[in-house]
Amino acid sequence: MVTAVVSLTGLGLVAAFGLSLASKKFHVEIDPRLEIIEGILPGLNCGACGYAGCPGFAVGLLAGESEPTGCAPGGEVVISQLAEFLGLDVGDVVKKIAVLQCGGTNEKAAMDAQYEGVQDCRAAILIGGGGKACRYSCVGYGTCEAVCPFDAIVMKPDGLPIVYADKCTACNKCVVACPRDVLALEPLNHEVRVSCSSTDTGGRVRKVCQVGCTGCGICEKVCPVEAVKVDNSLALINPDKCVECGICADNCPQDTILDGMLPRSPVFISDACNGCTICAKVCPFDAIQGETKELHVVDPERCTGCQLCVERCNVSAISVAKN
Ligand code: SF4
């Protein structure tokens, strides 16, 4: 009996010593900043940042692998707090929302099958491609609406979903769930958008959709700031270059480009103008005329309201006209 007690005590002491040594050897320092960052993050664990959840994003931030703007659902407040805590400058934070890149309503898109199964886009695509003839189109069974935790997506009677910008947190759940990849997160303040994802050739697009991009290249030609490029038969707009003038949308023969900025207000120039001519030089539409050192004027017929001149005027003499 005594031997057993002594043996067990000895074994216990050896084990305790071993554990103590292991805890010292394998001790991992936890960065106290992690807890603070997790406290700032919204705790949705939605994955919009590209990590499995908020704790993973916090680690990525501290490792310098991520930017505060990666947490789109956190919005301006969270992003600013993260930037301030990390001592970073994120500039003007732009809210993103989910945007539909398809205009093929039930009326405009051709059908090549009738799907009658479970009302789920993923299931529909597995059986006969979902019914619409365009293999890039929204199939319209509302999986995005079903997965949206914020009620920001509603299916319309025309067969396409609408995203309510005020409710959308850019959590990315609909983007991930959409089997056709026709939803993408885009800056809210860029409202001239291509509502098509098809890279089929023009002839094929014309057969399956009345509003599909045929890659004709007119938008690329008319864009005054080289923000539009046609790649693989599909027009793409670079939001960093786009000035939202809407000329591409005006000229698109397929009505594929949507202009959410309408109606635009032209600008006017006040007496504060010193005739430096910068506005006339930056205007892509030749809408501003005037001699050097004289008051310049805006031709409202030509002005698209892009406001490039407003940003460049050194004496703040240009304002947006009230409708
Ligand atoms: S956007 Fe995607 S998920 Fe939503 S209805 Fe269309 S195909 Fe389905």
Side-chain angles (χ1 to χ4, degrees), residues 164-181:
Y164 291 104
D166 55 333
K167 291 186 173 178
C168 179
T169 64
C171 74
N172 214 37
K173 283 195 190 301
C174 59
V175 176
V176 172
C178 175
R180 276 282 163 86
D181 292 334

Side-chain angles (χ1 to χ4, degrees), residues 110-175:
M111 304 293 289
D112 63 0
Q114 184 65 42
Y115 171 75
E116 288 183 350
V118 181
Q119 296 294 292
D120 178 273
C121 304
R122 294 163 289 198
I125 279 184
L126 292 177
I127 302 169
K132 279 186 182 159
C134 173
R135 61 198 166 107
Y136 296 92
S137 69
C138 165
V139 287
Y141 293 98
T143 295
C144 49
E145 181 185 31
V147 300
C148 177
F150 306 102
D151 295 331
I153 304 185
V154 174
M155 294 304 296
K156 292 183 292 174
D158 67 6
L160 295 182
I162 183 168
V163 180
Y164 291 104
D166 55 333
K167 291 186 173 178
C168 179
T169 64
C171 74
N172 214 37
K173 283 195 190 301
C174 59
V175 176

Side-chain angles (χ1 to χ4, degrees), residues 214-229:
T214 59
C216 70
I218 292 175
C219 50
E220 184 175 326
K221 285 195 197 93
V222 298
C223 177
V225 290
E226 296 183 355
V228 191
K229 283 270 168 287

